[in-house]
Amino acid sequence: MKKNDEFVLKIEDMGAAGEGIGKYEGMTFFVKDALIGDKVRARATKLKKTYGYARVMEILEPSPDRVEPVCAFHRACGGCQIQALSYEKQLEFKQRKVENDLRRIGGFSQIPMEPIVGMEEPFHYRNKAQFPVGTDAEGHIIAGFYAGRTHRIIANRECALGVPVNRRVLDIVIDFMERHHVSAYDETTGTGLVRHVLIRYGFATKEIMVCMILNGKRLPHQDALVSELVQLDGMTSISLNFNEKQTNVILGEETQTIWGREYITDCVQRLTYQISPQSFYQVNPVQMEKLYGLALEYAGLSGEETVWDLYCGIGTISLFLAQKAKQVYGVEIVPQAIADARRNAQLNEVDNAEFFVGKAEEILPDFYEKEACEGRQAHADVIVVDPPRKGCDRRLLETILAMDPERIVYVSCDPATLARDLKVLCEGEYRLERVRVVDNFCQTIHTECVTLMTRKE
Ligand code: SAH
């Protein structure tokens, strides 16, 4: 077998990135865009000793789990890796992925998996979109998505995961740029002005935020853009964000509001949240409510507890917890998010939540040591963590163990780092009690998961 050889294989499994896995002449092949149950003619793209990578040339017999994809760009775009798989099978895939990681990386044998929480309507669920802006071969301004694993922009103003208002905002922005000869950023040269358009939409409030991310400090003719955007029902906040670095990071540090408020608001049950452009906010509000409900249930609060909510963002989970706890402390690294969190506590008349800016792996250990210096043993009844994909720092896990909480609730968007961290906690004095996957990222390979650990008696 050599590169570019073609061969026929049956797909028997699915890898962590959603790729099909099958065997041919004793070699294992990872085949992008192939699904379990497909029989495909594939072309080898890369060969190693015992395994290789291949690309689908033709689907000879489609898997019974294949569905007609909603989006014409689903293969080229990097966003929806598993849109061609029936939703039911997507859920099975995610459940299995989390369970496998806990077994393989975490070393758990008895895994208390509860049924995955899926969505009734698994499209148009995202309240946030960041469209890269560029120029096509004919010199027209385009906005869309990066082709999988590249930074080539595929023009598409109508993403199947986003809300309808995205399209209307992009039409206005692109038309404005064309008319006023405002240039789009070019990554390869670092020239051109408009890099991204960030759009946020409050599902409960119908408020819209538009943030233009610029490679510069000024948007020429900005009043013309504003006067068009404000025609949209619900427009609440229009801002510029400055990012002049040649980097993949989308947002720069400084944001300037040019019309309306600095934030939009959204509601989850009885709570109202203000959200700034720079703050993290769960992208799927329907599933977010279920996720937070589970986090609260797992926390098992009676009203007497001291709770730490680490990686708290704008205080979403903290305020949920504060309704049932004595005192909640939130820790978060982004200062704007903590400003939102403090405002959100006030707005909701929550007076038992306090917030700290900084790294969780510094704030909590420092607090612990300071208490120790004063002869006290820092204790929490419940500790909730909700870290980004890279998971928790070792130093933080050790402090959590030292603080000896009754329960630890770990909310995670990456099952591999979750499994790694749970291993550390469960080699300590904790037992894995409950695991539940919540499908916040339908059509994609990403998972969200809530777990509960309790102290071994
Ligand atoms: N619990 C929140 C946010 C979870 S996302 C919610 O559900 O909305 C993870 C958050 O961790 C982000 O807000 C990110 O800014 C923050 N973060 C990243 N690294 C951090 C660190 N080392 N210490 C504290 N917060 C961090």
Side-chain angles (χ1 to χ4, degrees), residues 280-282 292 311-313 316-317 331-334 358-361 386-388 390:
F280 175 91
Y281 185 59
Q282 287 278 347
Y292 292 166
Y311 310 89
C312 68
T316 30
I317 298 181
V331 181
E332 158 67 43
I333 199 168
V334 174
K359 293 185 179 169
E361 62 272 26
D386 182 7
K390 71 175 196 289

PDB file of all heavy atoms in Angstrom, residues 280-282 292 311-313 316-317 331-334 358-361 386-388 390, ligand 1:
ATOM      1  N   PHE A 280     -17.167  34.989  28.976  1.00  0.00           N
ATOM      2  CA  PHE A 280     -17.656  33.678  28.569  1.00  0.00           C
ATOM      3  C   PHE A 280     -19.119  33.556  28.983  1.00  0.00           C
ATOM      4  O   PHE A 280     -19.500  33.917  30.090  1.00  0.00           O
ATOM      5  CB  PHE A 280     -16.847  32.567  29.256  1.00  0.00           C
ATOM      6  CG  PHE A 280     -17.403  31.203  28.965  1.00  0.00           C
ATOM      7  CD1 PHE A 280     -16.941  30.489  27.871  1.00  0.00           C
ATOM      8  CD2 PHE A 280     -18.424  30.661  29.744  1.00  0.00           C
ATOM      9  CE1 PHE A 280     -17.487  29.244  27.570  1.00  0.00           C
ATOM     10  CE2 PHE A 280     -18.967  29.418  29.451  1.00  0.00           C
ATOM     11  CZ  PHE A 280     -18.498  28.714  28.363  1.00  0.00           C
ATOM     12  N   TYR A 281     -19.911  33.007  28.090  1.00  0.00           N
ATOM     13  CA  TYR A 281     -21.294  32.685  28.425  1.00  0.00           C
ATOM     14  C   TYR A 281     -21.634  31.430  27.646  1.00  0.00           C
ATOM     15  O   TYR A 281     -21.302  31.338  26.461  1.00  0.00           O
ATOM     16  CB  TYR A 281     -22.201  33.848  28.016  1.00  0.00           C
ATOM     17  CG  TYR A 281     -23.649  33.695  28.416  1.00  0.00           C
ATOM     18  CD1 TYR A 281     -24.014  33.550  29.752  1.00  0.00           C
ATOM     19  CD2 TYR A 281     -24.658  33.729  27.461  1.00  0.00           C
ATOM     20  CE1 TYR A 281     -25.352  33.428  30.116  1.00  0.00           C
ATOM     21  CE2 TYR A 281     -25.997  33.612  27.824  1.00  0.00           C
ATOM     22  CZ  TYR A 281     -26.335  33.461  29.153  1.00  0.00           C
ATOM     23  OH  TYR A 281     -27.649  33.343  29.512  1.00  0.00           O
ATOM     24  N   GLN A 282     -22.254  30.453  28.278  1.00  0.00           N
ATOM     25  CA  GLN A 282     -22.595  29.201  27.596  1.00  0.00           C
ATOM     26  C   GLN A 282     -23.292  29.504  26.275  1.00  0.00           C
ATOM     27  O   GLN A 282     -24.194  30.337  26.233  1.00  0.00           O
ATOM     28  CB  GLN A 282     -23.529  28.368  28.482  1.00  0.00           C
ATOM     29  CG  GLN A 282     -22.841  27.731  29.668  1.00  0.00           C
ATOM     30  CD  GLN A 282     -22.129  26.435  29.301  1.00  0.00           C
ATOM     31  OE1 GLN A 282     -22.327  25.882  28.229  1.00  0.00           O
ATOM     32  NE2 GLN A 282     -21.285  25.973  30.195  1.00  0.00           N
ATOM     33  N   TYR A 292     -27.012  23.655  34.417  1.00  0.00           N
ATOM     34  CA  TYR A 292     -26.921  24.321  35.712  1.00  0.00           C
ATOM     35  C   TYR A 292     -27.868  23.661  36.720  1.00  0.00           C
ATOM     36  O   TYR A 292     -27.553  23.569  37.905  1.00  0.00           O
ATOM     37  CB  TYR A 292     -27.245  25.811  35.584  1.00  0.00           C
ATOM     38  CG  TYR A 292     -26.220  26.597  34.808  1.00  0.00           C
ATOM     39  CD1 TYR A 292     -26.496  27.878  34.361  1.00  0.00           C
ATOM     40  CD2 TYR A 292     -24.962  26.062  34.521  1.00  0.00           C
ATOM     41  CE1 TYR A 292     -25.559  28.610  33.641  1.00  0.00           C
ATOM     42  CE2 TYR A 292     -24.024  26.784  33.809  1.00  0.00           C
ATOM     43  CZ  TYR A 292     -24.340  28.059  33.364  1.00  0.00           C
ATOM     44  OH  TYR A 292     -23.416  28.780  32.658  1.00  0.00           O
ATOM     45  N   TYR A 311     -13.628  29.085  38.198  1.00  0.00           N
ATOM     46  CA  TYR A 311     -13.845  29.331  36.760  1.00  0.00           C
ATOM     47  C   TYR A 311     -15.299  29.782  36.568  1.00  0.00           C
ATOM     48  O   TYR A 311     -16.053  29.185  35.811  1.00  0.00           O
ATOM     49  CB  TYR A 311     -13.582  28.078  35.914  1.00  0.00           C
ATOM     50  CG  TYR A 311     -12.279  27.393  36.186  1.00  0.00           C
ATOM     51  CD1 TYR A 311     -12.175  26.408  37.172  1.00  0.00           C
ATOM     52  CD2 TYR A 311     -11.136  27.715  35.447  1.00  0.00           C
ATOM     53  CE1 TYR A 311     -10.977  25.773  37.426  1.00  0.00           C
ATOM     54  CE2 TYR A 311      -9.940  27.071  35.692  1.00  0.00           C
ATOM     55  CZ  TYR A 311      -9.858  26.102  36.683  1.00  0.00           C
ATOM     56  OH  TYR A 311      -8.677  25.461  36.915  1.00  0.00           O
ATOM     57  N   CYS A 312     -15.686  30.838  37.288  1.00  0.00           N
ATOM     58  CA  CYS A 312     -17.113  31.171  37.388  1.00  0.00           C
ATOM     59  C   CYS A 312     -17.636  32.028  36.248  1.00  0.00           C
ATOM     60  O   CYS A 312     -18.842  32.244  36.155  1.00  0.00           O
ATOM     61  CB  CYS A 312     -17.389  31.839  38.720  1.00  0.00           C
ATOM     62  SG  CYS A 312     -16.645  33.473  38.855  1.00  0.00           S
ATOM     63  N   GLY A 313     -16.768  32.555  35.365  1.00  0.00           N
ATOM     64  CA  GLY A 313     -17.269  33.405  34.277  1.00  0.00           C
ATOM     65  C   GLY A 313     -18.033  34.591  34.831  1.00  0.00           C
ATOM     66  O   GLY A 313     -17.587  35.247  35.773  1.00  0.00           O
ATOM     67  N   THR A 316     -22.652  32.818  36.448  1.00  0.00           N
ATOM     68  CA  THR A 316     -23.883  32.103  36.130  1.00  0.00           C
ATOM     69  C   THR A 316     -24.172  30.990  37.148  1.00  0.00           C
ATOM     70  O   THR A 316     -25.221  30.982  37.778  1.00  0.00           O
ATOM     71  CB  THR A 316     -23.799  31.509  34.711  1.00  0.00           C
ATOM     72  OG1 THR A 316     -22.445  31.209  34.440  1.00  0.00           O
ATOM     73  CG2 THR A 316     -24.294  32.478  33.688  1.00  0.00           C
ATOM     74  N   ILE A 317     -23.221  30.071  37.300  1.00  0.00           N
ATOM     75  CA  ILE A 317     -23.447  28.964  38.235  1.00  0.00           C
ATOM     76  C   ILE A 317     -23.453  29.491  39.676  1.00  0.00           C
ATOM     77  O   ILE A 317     -24.267  29.074  40.498  1.00  0.00           O
ATOM     78  CB  ILE A 317     -22.377  27.857  38.055  1.00  0.00           C
ATOM     79  CG1 ILE A 317     -22.474  27.262  36.641  1.00  0.00           C
ATOM     80  CG2 ILE A 317     -22.524  26.763  39.101  1.00  0.00           C
ATOM     81  CD1 ILE A 317     -21.481  26.145  36.368  1.00  0.00           C
ATOM     82  N   VAL A 331     -14.416  32.509  41.436  1.00  0.00           N
ATOM     83  CA  VAL A 331     -13.069  32.892  40.990  1.00  0.00           C
ATOM     84  C   VAL A 331     -13.010  32.780  39.474  1.00  0.00           C
ATOM     85  O   VAL A 331     -13.456  31.780  38.898  1.00  0.00           O
ATOM     86  CB  VAL A 331     -11.985  31.970  41.591  1.00  0.00           C
ATOM     87  CG1 VAL A 331     -10.594  32.420  41.128  1.00  0.00           C
ATOM     88  CG2 VAL A 331     -12.059  31.940  43.111  1.00  0.00           C
ATOM     89  N   GLU A 332     -12.448  33.813  38.841  1.00  0.00           N
ATOM     90  CA  GLU A 332     -12.413  33.852  37.374  1.00  0.00           C
ATOM     91  C   GLU A 332     -11.259  34.745  36.926  1.00  0.00           C
ATOM     92  O   GLU A 332     -10.975  35.759  37.538  1.00  0.00           O
ATOM     93  CB  GLU A 332     -13.772  34.391  36.892  1.00  0.00           C
ATOM     94  CG  GLU A 332     -13.821  35.007  35.516  1.00  0.00           C
ATOM     95  CD  GLU A 332     -13.576  34.011  34.391  1.00  0.00           C
ATOM     96  OE1 GLU A 332     -14.110  32.893  34.430  1.00  0.00           O
ATOM     97  OE2 GLU A 332     -12.824  34.376  33.464  1.00  0.00           O
ATOM     98  N   ILE A 333     -10.645  34.379  35.815  1.00  0.00           N
ATOM     99  CA  ILE A 333      -9.435  35.062  35.354  1.00  0.00           C
ATOM    100  C   ILE A 333      -9.698  36.331  34.540  1.00  0.00           C
ATOM    101  O   ILE A 333      -8.863  37.238  34.512  1.00  0.00           O
ATOM    102  CB  ILE A 333      -8.564  34.052  34.546  1.00  0.00           C
ATOM    103  CG1 ILE A 333      -7.123  34.522  34.436  1.00  0.00           C
ATOM    104  CG2 ILE A 333      -9.135  33.797  33.178  1.00  0.00           C
ATOM    105  CD1 ILE A 333      -6.197  33.424  33.913  1.00  0.00           C
ATOM    106  N   VAL A 334     -10.842  36.412  33.863  1.00  0.00           N
ATOM    107  CA  VAL A 334     -11.112  37.580  32.996  1.00  0.00           C
ATOM    108  C   VAL A 334     -11.777  38.702  33.811  1.00  0.00           C
ATOM    109  O   VAL A 334     -12.881  38.532  34.328  1.00  0.00           O
ATOM    110  CB  VAL A 334     -12.024  37.189  31.805  1.00  0.00           C
ATOM    111  CG1 VAL A 334     -12.425  38.403  30.979  1.00  0.00           C
ATOM    112  CG2 VAL A 334     -11.326  36.156  30.925  1.00  0.00           C
ATOM    113  N   GLY A 358      -8.665  36.352  39.171  1.00  0.00           N
ATOM    114  CA  GLY A 358      -7.350  35.717  39.215  1.00  0.00           C
ATOM    115  C   GLY A 358      -7.438  34.287  38.762  1.00  0.00           C
ATOM    116  O   GLY A 358      -8.512  33.788  38.400  1.00  0.00           O
ATOM    117  N   LYS A 359      -6.273  33.634  38.768  1.00  0.00           N
ATOM    118  CA  LYS A 359      -6.249  32.230  38.379  1.00  0.00           C
ATOM    119  C   LYS A 359      -6.741  31.382  39.542  1.00  0.00           C
ATOM    120  O   LYS A 359      -6.268  31.560  40.668  1.00  0.00           O
ATOM    121  CB  LYS A 359      -4.819  31.806  38.043  1.00  0.00           C
ATOM    122  CG  LYS A 359      -4.268  32.460  36.813  1.00  0.00           C
ATOM    123  CD  LYS A 359      -2.906  31.879  36.488  1.00  0.00           C
ATOM    124  CE  LYS A 359      -2.376  32.527  35.222  1.00  0.00           C
ATOM    125  NZ  LYS A 359      -0.979  32.221  34.979  1.00  0.00           N
ATOM    126  N   ALA A 360      -7.616  30.455  39.240  1.00  0.00           N
ATOM    127  CA  ALA A 360      -8.125  29.563  40.289  1.00  0.00           C
ATOM    128  C   ALA A 360      -6.968  28.872  41.001  1.00  0.00           C
ATOM    129  O   ALA A 360      -6.974  28.716  42.226  1.00  0.00           O
ATOM    130  CB  ALA A 360      -9.066  28.533  39.669  1.00  0.00           C
ATOM    131  N   GLU A 361      -5.932  28.489  40.218  1.00  0.00           N
ATOM    132  CA  GLU A 361      -4.808  27.733  40.804  1.00  0.00           C
ATOM    133  C   GLU A 361      -3.880  28.629  41.620  1.00  0.00           C
ATOM    134  O   GLU A 361      -2.910  28.139  42.197  1.00  0.00           O
ATOM    135  CB  GLU A 361      -4.037  26.974  39.717  1.00  0.00           C
ATOM    136  CG  GLU A 361      -3.374  27.816  38.652  1.00  0.00           C
ATOM    137  CD  GLU A 361      -4.288  28.121  37.460  1.00  0.00           C
ATOM    138  OE1 GLU A 361      -5.522  28.121  37.623  1.00  0.00           O
ATOM    139  OE2 GLU A 361      -3.758  28.388  36.368  1.00  0.00           O
ATOM    140  N   ASP A 386     -15.479  24.471  36.764  1.00  0.00           N
ATOM    141  CA  ASP A 386     -15.972  24.433  35.380  1.00  0.00           C
ATOM    142  C   ASP A 386     -14.876  25.005  34.481  1.00  0.00           C
ATOM    143  O   ASP A 386     -15.022  26.087  33.924  1.00  0.00           O
ATOM    144  CB  ASP A 386     -17.269  25.251  35.287  1.00  0.00           C
ATOM    145  CG  ASP A 386     -17.891  25.232  33.903  1.00  0.00           C
ATOM    146  OD1 ASP A 386     -17.394  24.485  33.033  1.00  0.00           O
ATOM    147  OD2 ASP A 386     -18.866  25.965  33.687  1.00  0.00           O
ATOM    148  N   PRO A 387     -13.742  24.298  34.383  1.00  0.00           N
ATOM    149  CA  PRO A 387     -12.579  24.868  33.688  1.00  0.00           C
ATOM    150  C   PRO A 387     -12.719  24.829  32.175  1.00  0.00           C
ATOM    151  O   PRO A 387     -13.566  24.112  31.645  1.00  0.00           O
ATOM    152  CB  PRO A 387     -11.442  23.935  34.118  1.00  0.00           C
ATOM    153  CG  PRO A 387     -12.100  22.625  34.365  1.00  0.00           C
ATOM    154  CD  PRO A 387     -13.465  22.937  34.887  1.00  0.00           C
ATOM    155  N   PRO A 388     -11.857  25.583  31.462  1.00  0.00           N
ATOM    156  CA  PRO A 388     -11.803  25.455  30.007  1.00  0.00           C
ATOM    157  C   PRO A 388     -11.232  24.084  29.624  1.00  0.00           C
ATOM    158  O   PRO A 388     -10.905  23.286  30.496  1.00  0.00           O
ATOM    159  CB  PRO A 388     -10.875  26.584  29.575  1.00  0.00           C
ATOM    160  CG  PRO A 388     -10.111  26.975  30.784  1.00  0.00           C
ATOM    161  CD  PRO A 388     -10.923  26.579  31.973  1.00  0.00           C
ATOM    162  N   LYS A 390      -8.523  22.787  28.871  1.00  0.00           N
ATOM    163  CA  LYS A 390      -7.275  22.230  29.404  1.00  0.00           C
ATOM    164  C   LYS A 390      -7.405  21.671  30.830  1.00  0.00           C
ATOM    165  O   LYS A 390      -6.482  21.047  31.339  1.00  0.00           O
ATOM    166  CB  LYS A 390      -6.141  23.242  29.294  1.00  0.00           C
ATOM    167  CG  LYS A 390      -6.220  24.426  30.226  1.00  0.00           C
ATOM    168  CD  LYS A 390      -4.931  25.240  30.044  1.00  0.00           C
ATOM    169  CE  LYS A 390      -4.632  26.223  31.109  1.00  0.00           C
ATOM    170  NZ  LYS A 390      -5.330  27.390  31.311  1.00  0.00           N
TER     171      LYS A 390
HETATM  172  N1  SAH B   1     -18.900  28.597  34.873  1.00  0.00           N
HETATM  173  C1  SAH B   1     -19.006  29.602  33.849  1.00  0.00           C
HETATM  174  C2  SAH B   1     -17.779  29.707  32.944  1.00  0.00           C
HETATM  175  C3  SAH B   1     -17.153  28.420  32.471  1.00  0.00           C
HETATM  176  S1  SAH B   1     -16.024  28.576  31.125  1.00  0.00           S
HETATM  177  C4  SAH B   1     -20.248  29.404  33.032  1.00  0.00           C
HETATM  178  O1  SAH B   1     -20.832  28.313  33.030  1.00  0.00           O
HETATM  179  O2  SAH B   1     -20.681  30.341  32.379  1.00  0.00           O
HETATM  180  C5  SAH B   1     -14.467  28.640  31.880  1.00  0.00           C
HETATM  181  C6  SAH B   1     -14.113  29.976  32.466  1.00  0.00           C
HETATM  182  O3  SAH B   1     -12.827  29.850  33.065  1.00  0.00           O
HETATM  183  C7  SAH B   1     -13.991  31.120  31.468  1.00  0.00           C
HETATM  184  O4  SAH B   1     -14.783  32.188  31.920  1.00  0.00           O
HETATM  185  C8  SAH B   1     -12.496  31.487  31.500  1.00  0.00           C
HETATM  186  O5  SAH B   1     -12.270  32.860  31.327  1.00  0.00           O
HETATM  187  C9  SAH B   1     -12.092  31.055  32.878  1.00  0.00           C
HETATM  188  N2  SAH B   1     -10.674  30.698  33.119  1.00  0.00           N
HETATM  189  C10 SAH B   1      -9.772  30.195  32.258  1.00  0.00           C
HETATM  190  N3  SAH B   1      -8.610  29.891  32.880  1.00  0.00           N
HETATM  191  C11 SAH B   1      -8.785  30.205  34.194  1.00  0.00           C
HETATM  192  C12 SAH B   1      -7.955  30.095  35.370  1.00  0.00           C
HETATM  193  N4  SAH B   1      -6.730  29.616  35.296  1.00  0.00           N
HETATM  194  N5  SAH B   1      -8.474  30.485  36.543  1.00  0.00           N
HETATM  195  C13 SAH B   1      -9.744  30.983  36.621  1.00  0.00           C
HETATM  196  N6  SAH B   1     -10.547  31.108  35.551  1.00  0.00           N
HETATM  197  C14 SAH B   1     -10.103  30.722  34.354  1.00  0.00           C
END
